[in-house]
Amino acid sequence: MNQDIAALSSQLVATGEFKAIDLEFAAGMLRLCGTDSAPELFLAAALACRAVRSGHSCCLLEEWAGKLLQPATGTPLRLPGFDAWIDALQRPEYAAAFRRTTGNMETPLLLDTGGRLYLQRCYHAEAVVADEVLRRHQQEPAIPELPAGRLPRLLRNFRTAPPGEPDYQQIAVCAALANSFTVITGGPGTGKTTVVAALLALELERRPDLQIALCAPTGKAQARLRESLLQDGAKLALDDHPEIRQKLAELPASTIHSLLRPDFETGGFRFNREHPLPCDLIVADECSMIPLSLMAALLEALKPDARVVLLGDKDQLASVESGAVLADLCDSAERNAFSPAVRRFAELQTGILPDAVTRNLPLSGAVAELVRNHRFANAPQIGKISTAIRNLADGKAPELAAEIARLDCPDFRTRPLSPVSFEAELAAEISRPEPDGTAFRDLKRLAADGGDAALETAFRQLDAFRILAAVRKGPYGVEQLNELMRRLTGLEADYAPGLPLIMLRNDPETGLSNGDIGIVWKSARHPGSIEVRFPGRANGFHPVELPEHECVFAMTVHKSQGSGFDRVLLVLPDQESPVLTRELLYTGITRARRRVELRAEESILAATLANRTIRRSGLAARLAERAGRLQ
């Protein structure tokens, strides 16, 4: 490596902003161009790789241009000015690595007209999502022939909006029935799966042979979608249509990966643009968790006439991988404002005329937001605080942090971190009996019983209580909390019967998915041995058969997305960290159905609330650009 580039590489590492993979990628771009001295290209490539590693789909070069980077030791590094940097990157000798969007050649790096620097694959994924979404959205709504008032009669067993207030659940159903592309967003308990249950029932009434695909990004989210649809489907007024209720109950749900079927030879999926999924309607849940690349693969694998319904909470944490697709889609629309045809259809069904589109945004008319929470009626503080976090104005973080730090209510209690009392109070928490008389710390006793009834009780306990942490390492991280819980429950031995385990990757051999949770149990098939049992599976697996896994008394807030628990102990670390964001706090709190205990210092809470997740993306701009081109 050229000495100047080697020195530049050392400076970048010393700033703490870059990792070895960023610099290796940058060095690869120099080799591709046949040069060992191109600092502008080296810096751009390192930044593009860093951006994707940090969860962004692109790097805004203008944000970095002219910036002074301060290494821990040595001379500060001044990055090139924006115009000079762009001019340098367009030199003919860099063409093998870098191009502008106007070129035809495929290169690893790409710069668009807005100054967004991409890895080629991220730019392609954004383009696929924008094209597939807009192509469906710009189709004229197809209003179904539905008798007036049919929808409210179907939903008569559900809580509805007060008289005179728009029933956004019913309006969302109307939009999804009529549109080829619909996003339904809202917090936990706002009724997203109620909307889906009604939508699917009405679709199956009209077209009994309709091919429907239900999917979610993780095994846990997939299972929850299935459970919610079973519960909501049972409450629909379908006494005259028992066959529809039966079809709803039999609809399978899968993870997106298993739906698309990974092709390990190509690194892609067996279902793709050339071999599309055989479905007419696809419903994807927990879309805030879906990274850009996976959303592109899903949309690209659909038939041109397949309709799409995306569900999710736009205010939750974004995906672990790059992109923030759901948030970008919601930000590209005037929410709860609809086309004239959908408005007339909704008025016919609900008696209330929804708002008309007034803002010329690319996806206006396609995004319904559910605003009334039905879950937290018996947990008012959880509902109040989660709403306050979602609506928090700039500069108000200290006030809300002070309010949260003082909470001592039946459904929401905040306590400072205290190493002295924490273990004793946690022991008391897991000894709290449920209505059936069992407590969380009874997992070992239940496993000693070994029967199916005891297994069912053990899974209920795992769904009733969970510790959530923001970080993995440190005294209040997942690893230490799991060790503490193993001591408190007496499950310290490896694969002790009663120990809960979470799968960390998808595994086609076993059919297990990332996020699936099982429990070590006495084997019914092989007396004297153990197996790991999973909900809904008659047979278990020997531990050696499992994909990568770990203990799961405690899990990160990121891992908890798509899950819900009666009681949550949310633990923030005693030091500020970049991972502590407003979205993380909101996501952790809203995993609880009945009660939250938050362990955090007020200063950490204030810093967390002030720190918003920012994902650099060009998807909203790509939608606007392509929508203008199509108009």
Side-chain angles (χ1 to χ4, degrees), residues 42-125:
F42 187 89
L43 287 166
L47 283 168
C49 187
R50 176 194 177 278
V52 174
R53 180 176 53 76
S54 303
H56 308 290
S57 60
C58 62
C59 167
L60 297 186
L61 208 56
E62 196 164 12
E63 286 187 347
W64 290 86
K67 188 175 180 179
L68 189 68
L69 299 183
Q70 181 64 59
T73 58
T75 307
L77 172 64
R78 176 75 67 181
L79 299 184
F82 183 69
D83 292 337
W85 206 347
I86 297 298
D87 289 343
L89 291 172
Q90 294 183 88
R91 291 175 185 166
E93 57 265 37
Y94 299 161
F98 185 93
R99 73 172 173 90
R100 299 295 294 261
T101 51
T102 52
N104 294 319
M105 183 174 142
E106 289 289 313
T107 56
L109 293 169
L110 182 146
L111 184 74
D112 74 2
T113 53
R116 285 173 285 264
L117 179 65
Y118 287 90
L119 299 187
Q120 179 68 238
R121 60 182 173 83
C122 292
Y123 181 83
H124 173 74

Side-chain angles (χ1 to χ4, degrees), residues 430-453:
I430 64 173
S431 300
R432 184 193 306 270
E434 295 292 328
D436 65 1
T438 62
F440 193 90
R441 73 181 316 151
D442 291 332
L443 288 174
K444 184 176 182 179
R445 179 181 62 79
L446 291 167
D449 177 289
D452 288 343

Side-chain angles (χ1 to χ4, degrees), residues 224-282:
R224 285 203 69 203
L225 172 62
R226 186 81 193 87
E227 292 162 8
S228 298
L229 280 177
L230 280 173
Q231 294 169 4
D232 289 348
K235 291 169 65 178
L236 294 173
L238 287 169
D239 294 343
D240 295 337
H241 298 278
E243 76 285 359
I244 301 296
R245 194 189 304 280
Q246 184 63 30
K247 284 184 178 181
L248 282 175
E250 292 173 351
L251 279 175
S254 63
T255 64
I256 297 173
H257 280 87
S258 61
L259 178 69
L260 297 179
R261 296 185 188 173
D263 186 332
F264 297 103
E265 290 185 5
T266 66
F269 293 99
R270 296 186 186 278
F271 286 110
N272 49 47
R273 191 180 294 280
E274 289 72 37
H275 184 208
L277 285 162
C279 70
D280 306 308
L281 171 65
I282 188 162

Side-chain angles (χ1 to χ4, degrees), residues 214-223 225 253-259 283-291 294-295 298 311-312 316 319-321 505-506 513-516 558-559 561-562:
L214 306 176
C215 60
T218 68
K220 187 63 177 178
Q222 160 220 322
L225 172 62
S254 63
T255 64
I256 297 173
H257 280 87
S258 61
L259 178 69
V283 177
D285 196 12
E286 295 292 350
C287 288
S288 65
M289 301 168 64
I290 302 178
L294 188 58
M295 183 66 82
L298 178 63
L311 310 176
Q316 273 190 193
S319 63
V320 175
E321 298 175 47
R505 63 174 177 84
N506 300 322
S513 300
N514 181 16
D516 282 349
H558 267 99
K559 273 285 183 186
Q561 290 187 95

